[in-house]
Amino acid sequence: FYEEVRRQDFVRNWQLVAAVPLFQKLGSAALIEIVRALRPRIVPAGAVICRKGDVGDQMFFIVEGRVTVATADHPVELGAGNFFGEMALISGEPRSATVSAATEVSLLSLYAVDFQMLSSSSPEIAETIRKTALERRGGPPRE
Ligand code: CMP
């Protein structure tokens, strides 16, 4: 029974991962690893997903819906295919902004240990995520 549940989770995650363009670069072995590692989650509109100042041990990929990032200057909206929560994961610093669900949102979360796994199996994707974190930290708000 446990095996069957695991199999269903795998199939469902597989479908969700297809909504994130970043993962399309992965080869089949790395893709299987990431599909196993990601945890799906549905968040209702208005709910806070991560709060500025909190410790962050996971990052999130948006499958469907939109989130609002309350940055210092003005709020930024991120939609399907985008990700957030990578800054705390990479720097080890507290969350830089509060992120809340602008609509009901379907997410896939990736924990720090699994991010390390992704970094070694796909340095290219890890590099893209790192670059985005640096751009968001320094420059103006962006997707
Ligand atoms: P983290 O600091 O872990 O938690 C808040 C997240 O909001 C952060 O990671 C980024 O993913 C996101 N974020 C912070 N600043 C910006 C910005 N200027 N533009 C887009 N997203 C941002």
Coordinates of all heavy atoms in Angstrom, one line a residue, residues 21-78:
P21 N 9.6 25.5 -16.4 CA 10.5 25.4 -17.5 C 11.9 25.1 -17.1 O 12.6 24.4 -17.9 CB 10.4 26.8 -18.1 CG 9.1 27.4 -17.7 CD 8.8 26.7 -16.3
L22 N 12.3 25.6 -16.0 CA 13.7 25.3 -15.5 C 14.1 23.9 -15.5 O 15.2 23.5 -15.8 CB 13.8 25.9 -14.1 CG 15.2 26.1 -13.5 CD1 15.9 27.2 -14.3 CD2 15.0 26.6 -12.0
F23 N 13.1 23.0 -15.2 CA 13.4 21.6 -15.0 C 13.5 20.9 -16.4 O 13.8 19.7 -16.5 CB 12.4 20.9 -14.1 CG 12.4 21.4 -12.7 CD1 11.2 21.6 -12.0 CD2 13.6 21.5 -12.0 CE1 11.3 22.1 -10.7 CE2 13.6 21.9 -10.7 CZ 12.5 22.2 -10.1
Q24 N 13.0 21.6 -17.4 CA 13.1 20.9 -18.8 C 14.5 20.7 -19.3 O 14.7 19.9 -20.2 CB 12.2 21.8 -19.8 CG 10.7 21.5 -19.5 CD 9.8 22.6 -20.1 OE1 10.3 23.3 -21.0 NE2 8.6 22.6 -19.7
K25 N 15.4 21.4 -18.6 CA 16.8 21.2 -19.0 C 17.4 19.9 -18.5 O 18.5 19.5 -18.9 CB 17.7 22.3 -18.5 CG 17.4 23.7 -19.2 CD 18.4 24.7 -18.6 CE 18.1 26.1 -19.1 NZ 18.6 27.1 -18.2
L26 N 16.7 19.3 -17.5 CA 17.3 18.1 -16.8 C 17.3 16.9 -17.7 O 16.3 16.6 -18.4 CB 16.5 17.9 -15.5 CG 16.7 18.9 -14.4 CD1 15.7 18.5 -13.3 CD2 18.1 18.8 -13.9
G27 N 18.3 16.1 -17.5 CA 18.3 14.7 -18.2 C 17.4 13.8 -17.3 O 16.9 14.2 -16.2
S28 N 17.1 12.6 -17.9 CA 16.0 11.8 -17.2 C 16.4 11.4 -15.8 O 15.6 11.4 -14.9 CB 15.7 10.6 -18.1 OG 16.8 9.9 -18.5
A29 N 17.7 11.0 -15.5 CA 18.1 10.6 -14.2 C 17.9 11.7 -13.2 O 17.3 11.5 -12.1 CB 19.5 10.1 -14.2
A30 N 18.4 12.9 -13.5 CA 18.3 14.0 -12.6 C 16.8 14.4 -12.4 O 16.4 14.8 -11.3 CB 19.1 15.2 -13.2
L31 N 16.0 14.3 -13.5 CA 14.6 14.6 -13.4 C 13.9 13.7 -12.4 O 13.1 14.1 -11.6 CB 14.0 14.5 -14.8 CG 12.6 15.1 -15.0 CD1 12.6 16.6 -14.6 CD2 12.1 15.0 -16.4
I32 N 14.2 12.4 -12.5 CA 13.6 11.4 -11.6 C 14.0 11.8 -10.1 O 13.1 11.8 -9.2 CB 14.0 10.0 -11.9 CG1 13.3 9.6 -13.2 CG2 13.7 9.0 -10.8 CD1 13.8 8.3 -13.8
E33 N 15.2 12.2 -9.9 CA 15.7 12.6 -8.6 C 14.9 13.8 -8.0 O 14.4 13.8 -6.9 CB 17.1 13.0 -8.6 CG 18.1 12.0 -8.3 CD 19.5 12.5 -8.2 OE1 19.8 13.6 -8.8 OE2 20.4 11.9 -7.6
I34 N 14.7 14.8 -8.9 CA 14.0 16.0 -8.5 C 12.5 15.7 -8.2 O 11.9 16.3 -7.3 CB 14.3 17.2 -9.4 CG1 13.9 18.5 -8.8 CG2 13.6 17.1 -10.7 CD1 15.0 19.0 -7.9
V35 N 11.9 14.9 -9.1 CA 10.5 14.6 -8.9 C 10.3 13.9 -7.6 O 9.3 14.1 -6.9 CB 10.0 13.7 -10.1 CG1 8.6 13.1 -9.8 CG2 9.9 14.6 -11.4
R36 N 11.3 13.1 -7.2 CA 11.2 12.4 -5.9 C 11.3 13.4 -4.7 O 10.7 13.2 -3.7 CB 12.3 11.3 -5.7 CG 12.0 10.1 -6.6 CD 12.5 8.9 -5.8 NE 12.2 7.7 -6.6 CZ 13.0 7.1 -7.4 NH1 14.3 7.6 -7.5 NH2 12.7 6.1 -8.1
A37 N 12.2 14.4 -4.9 CA 12.5 15.3 -3.8 C 11.4 16.4 -3.6 O 11.3 16.8 -2.4 CB 13.8 16.0 -4.1
L38 N 10.7 16.8 -4.6 CA 9.8 17.9 -4.5 C 8.6 17.6 -3.7 O 8.1 16.4 -3.8 CB 9.4 18.4 -5.9 CG 10.5 19.2 -6.7 CD1 10.2 19.3 -8.1 CD2 10.8 20.6 -6.1
R39 N 8.0 18.5 -2.9 CA 6.8 18.3 -2.1 C 5.7 19.2 -2.6 O 5.9 20.4 -2.5 CB 7.1 18.5 -0.7 CG 8.1 17.6 0.0 CD 7.5 16.2 0.3 NE 8.6 15.2 0.5 CZ 9.0 14.4 -0.4 NH1 8.6 14.3 -1.6 NH2 10.0 13.5 -0.1
P40 N 4.6 18.7 -3.1 CA 3.5 19.6 -3.6 C 2.7 20.2 -2.4 O 2.6 19.6 -1.3 CB 2.6 18.6 -4.3 CG 2.9 17.3 -3.8 CD 4.3 17.3 -3.2
R41 N 2.2 21.4 -2.7 CA 1.4 22.1 -1.6 C 0.5 23.0 -2.3 O 0.9 23.7 -3.2 CB 2.5 22.8 -0.8 CG 2.0 23.3 0.5 CD 3.1 23.8 1.4 NE 2.8 25.0 2.0 CZ 3.6 25.8 2.6 NH1 4.9 25.5 2.6 NH2 3.2 26.9 3.2
I42 N -0.7 23.1 -1.8 CA -1.7 24.1 -2.3 C -1.9 25.1 -1.1 O -2.2 24.8 0.0 CB -3.1 23.5 -2.6 CG1 -3.0 22.3 -3.6 CG2 -4.1 24.5 -3.0 CD1 -2.9 22.7 -5.0
V43 N -1.8 26.4 -1.5 CA -1.9 27.5 -0.5 C -3.1 28.4 -0.9 O -3.2 28.8 -2.1 CB -0.6 28.3 -0.4 CG1 -0.8 29.4 0.6 CG2 0.6 27.5 -0.1
P44 N -4.0 28.6 0.0 CA -5.2 29.4 -0.3 C -4.8 30.9 -0.5 O -3.8 31.4 0.1 CB -6.1 29.3 0.9 CG -5.2 28.9 2.0 CD -4.1 28.1 1.4
A45 N -5.6 31.6 -1.3 CA -5.3 33.1 -1.6 C -5.3 33.8 -0.3 O -6.1 33.6 0.6 CB -6.5 33.6 -2.5
G46 N -4.3 34.7 -0.2 CA -4.1 35.5 1.0 C -3.2 35.0 2.1 O -2.7 35.7 2.9
A47 N -2.9 33.7 2.0 CA -2.1 33.1 3.1 C -0.6 33.5 2.9 O -0.1 33.6 1.8 CB -2.2 31.6 3.1
V48 N 0.1 33.6 4.0 CA 1.5 33.9 4.0 C 2.3 32.6 3.8 O 2.0 31.6 4.5 CB 2.0 34.6 5.3 CG1 3.5 34.7 5.4 CG2 1.3 36.0 5.4
I49 N 3.2 32.6 2.8 CA 4.0 31.4 2.5 C 5.3 31.4 3.3 O 5.8 30.5 3.8 CB 4.2 31.2 1.0 CG1 2.8 31.1 0.3 CG2 5.0 29.9 0.7 CD1 2.9 31.4 -1.1
C50 N 6.0 32.6 3.2 CA 7.2 32.8 4.1 C 7.2 34.2 4.5 O 6.8 35.1 3.9 CB 8.5 32.3 3.4 SG 8.9 33.1 1.9
R51 N 7.8 34.4 5.7 CA 7.7 35.7 6.4 C 9.1 36.3 6.5 O 10.1 35.6 6.9 CB 7.1 35.5 7.8 CG 6.4 36.7 8.3 CD 5.7 36.4 9.6 NE 4.5 35.6 9.5 CZ 3.3 36.1 9.2 NH1 3.1 37.4 9.0 NH2 2.3 35.3 9.1
K52 N 9.2 37.6 6.2 CA 10.5 38.3 6.3 C 11.1 38.0 7.7 O 10.4 38.1 8.7 CB 10.3 39.8 6.1 CG 11.6 40.6 6.1 CD 11.2 42.1 5.8 CE 12.3 43.0 6.2 NZ 13.3 43.1 5.1
G53 N 12.4 37.7 7.7 CA 13.1 37.5 9.0 C 13.1 36.1 9.5 O 14.0 35.7 10.3
D54 N 12.3 35.2 8.9 CA 12.3 33.8 9.3 C 13.5 33.1 8.8 O 14.1 33.5 7.8 CB 11.0 33.1 8.8 CG 9.8 33.4 9.7 OD1 9.9 34.1 10.7 OD2 8.7 32.9 9.3
V55 N 13.8 32.0 9.4 CA 14.8 31.1 8.9 C 14.2 30.3 7.7 O 13.1 29.9 7.8 CB 15.3 30.1 9.9 CG1 16.2 29.0 9.4 CG2 16.0 30.8 11.1
G56 N 15.0 30.2 6.6 CA 14.4 29.5 5.4 C 15.1 28.2 5.1 O 16.3 28.2 4.8
D57 N 14.4 27.1 5.2 CA 15.1 25.8 4.9 C 14.6 25.2 3.6 O 14.8 24.0 3.2 CB 15.0 24.8 6.0 CG 13.5 24.4 6.3 OD1 12.6 25.1 5.7 OD2 13.3 23.5 7.0
Q58 N 13.7 25.9 2.8 CA 13.2 25.4 1.6 C 12.9 26.5 0.6 O 12.8 27.7 1.0 CB 11.9 24.6 1.8 CG 10.8 25.3 2.6 CD 9.6 24.5 2.9 OE1 9.1 23.8 2.0 NE2 9.1 24.5 4.1
M59 N 12.9 26.2 -0.7 CA 12.5 27.1 -1.7 C 11.3 26.6 -2.4 O 10.9 25.4 -2.3 CB 13.6 27.4 -2.7 CG 14.1 26.3 -3.5 SD 15.3 26.8 -4.8 CE 14.2 27.8 -5.9
F60 N 10.6 27.4 -3.2 CA 9.3 27.1 -3.8 C 9.3 27.3 -5.3 O 9.8 28.4 -5.8 CB 8.2 27.9 -3.2 CG 8.2 27.8 -1.7 CD1 8.9 28.6 -0.9 CD2 7.4 26.8 -1.1 CE1 8.9 28.5 0.5 CE2 7.4 26.7 0.3 CZ 8.1 27.5 1.1
F61 N 8.7 26.4 -6.1 CA 8.5 26.6 -7.5 C 7.0 26.7 -7.7 O 6.2 26.0 -7.1 CB 9.0 25.4 -8.3 CG 10.5 25.2 -8.1 CD1 11.0 24.5 -7.1 CD2 11.4 25.9 -9.0 CE1 12.4 24.3 -6.9 CE2 12.7 25.7 -8.9 CZ 13.2 25.0 -7.8
I62 N 6.6 27.7 -8.5 CA 5.1 28.0 -8.7 C 4.6 27.2 -9.9 O 5.1 27.3 -11.0 CB 4.8 29.5 -9.0 CG1 5.4 30.3 -7.8 CG2 3.3 29.7 -9.1 CD1 5.4 31.8 -8.1
V63 N 3.7 26.3 -9.6 CA 3.1 25.4 -10.7 C 1.9 26.2 -11.3 O 1.7 26.2 -12.5 CB 2.6 24.1 -10.1 CG1 1.8 23.3 -11.1 CG2 3.8 23.3 -9.6
E64 N 1.1 26.8 -10.5 CA -0.1 27.5 -10.9 C -0.5 28.6 -9.9 O -0.3 28.4 -8.7 CB -1.3 26.5 -11.0 CG -2.3 26.7 -12.0 CD -3.4 25.7 -12.0 OE1 -3.1 24.5 -11.7 OE2 -4.5 26.1 -12.4
G65 N -1.0 29.7 -10.4 CA -1.4 30.8 -9.5 C -0.3 31.8 -9.4 O 0.7 31.7 -10.1
R66 N -0.5 32.8 -8.5 CA 0.5 33.9 -8.4 C 0.8 34.2 -6.9 O -0.1 34.0 -6.0 CB 0.0 35.2 -9.0 CG -0.4 35.0 -10.5 CD -0.8 36.3 -11.2 NE 0.4 37.2 -11.3 CZ 1.3 37.1 -12.2 NH1 1.3 36.1 -13.1 NH2 2.3 38.0 -12.3
V67 N 2.0 34.7 -6.6 CA 2.3 35.1 -5.3 C 2.8 36.6 -5.3 O 3.2 37.1 -6.4 CB 3.5 34.3 -4.7 CG1 3.1 32.8 -4.6 CG2 4.8 34.5 -5.4
T68 N 2.7 37.2 -4.2 CA 3.2 38.6 -4.1 C 4.4 38.7 -3.1 O 4.3 38.1 -2.0 CB 2.1 39.5 -3.5 OG1 0.9 39.4 -4.3 CG2 2.5 41.0 -3.5
V69 N 5.5 39.2 -3.6 CA 6.6 39.4 -2.8 C 6.6 40.9 -2.3 O 6.6 41.8 -3.1 CB 7.9 39.2 -3.6 CG1 9.2 39.3 -2.7 CG2 7.9 37.8 -4.3
A70 N 6.6 41.1 -0.9 CA 6.5 42.4 -0.4 C 8.0 42.9 -0.2 O 8.5 42.9 0.9 CB 5.8 42.4 1.0
T71 N 8.6 43.4 -1.3 CA 9.9 43.9 -1.3 C 9.9 45.3 -0.7 O 8.8 45.9 -0.5 CB 10.6 44.0 -2.7 OG1 9.8 44.9 -3.5 CG2 10.6 42.6 -3.3
A72 N 11.1 45.8 -0.4 CA 11.2 47.1 0.3 C 10.5 48.2 -0.5 O 9.8 49.1 0.1 CB 12.7 47.4 0.6
D73 N 10.8 48.3 -1.8 CA 10.2 49.4 -2.6 C 8.7 49.2 -3.0 O 7.8 49.9 -2.5 CB 11.0 49.9 -3.8 CG 12.1 48.8 -4.2 OD1 12.7 48.2 -3.3 OD2 12.2 48.6 -5.4
H74 N 8.5 48.2 -3.8 CA 7.1 47.9 -4.1 C 6.8 46.5 -4.4 O 7.8 45.7 -4.7 CB 6.6 48.8 -5.4 CG 7.4 48.5 -6.6 ND1 7.0 47.4 -7.5 CD2 8.5 49.0 -7.1 CE1 7.8 47.4 -8.5 NE2 8.8 48.3 -8.3
P75 N 5.6 46.0 -4.2 CA 5.4 44.5 -4.3 C 5.6 44.0 -5.7 O 5.4 44.7 -6.7 CB 3.9 44.4 -4.0 CG 3.4 45.7 -3.6 CD 4.4 46.7 -3.9
V76 N 6.2 42.8 -5.8 CA 6.4 42.1 -7.1 C 5.6 40.9 -7.1 O 5.5 40.1 -6.1 CB 7.9 41.7 -7.1 CG1 8.2 41.1 -8.5 CG2 8.9 42.8 -6.8
E77 N 4.9 40.7 -8.3 CA 4.1 39.4 -8.4 C 4.9 38.4 -9.2 O 5.6 38.8 -10.2 CB 2.8 39.7 -9.2 CG 1.8 40.3 -8.3 CD 0.4 39.8 -8.6 OE1 0.2 39.1 -9.6 OE2 -0.5 40.1 -7.8
L78 N 4.9 37.2 -8.8 CA 5.5 36.1 -9.5 C 4.5 35.0 -9.9 O 3.6 34.8 -9.1 CB 6.6 35.4 -8.7 CG 7.8 36.3 -8.2 CD1 8.7 35.5 -7.3 CD2 8.6 36.9 -9.4

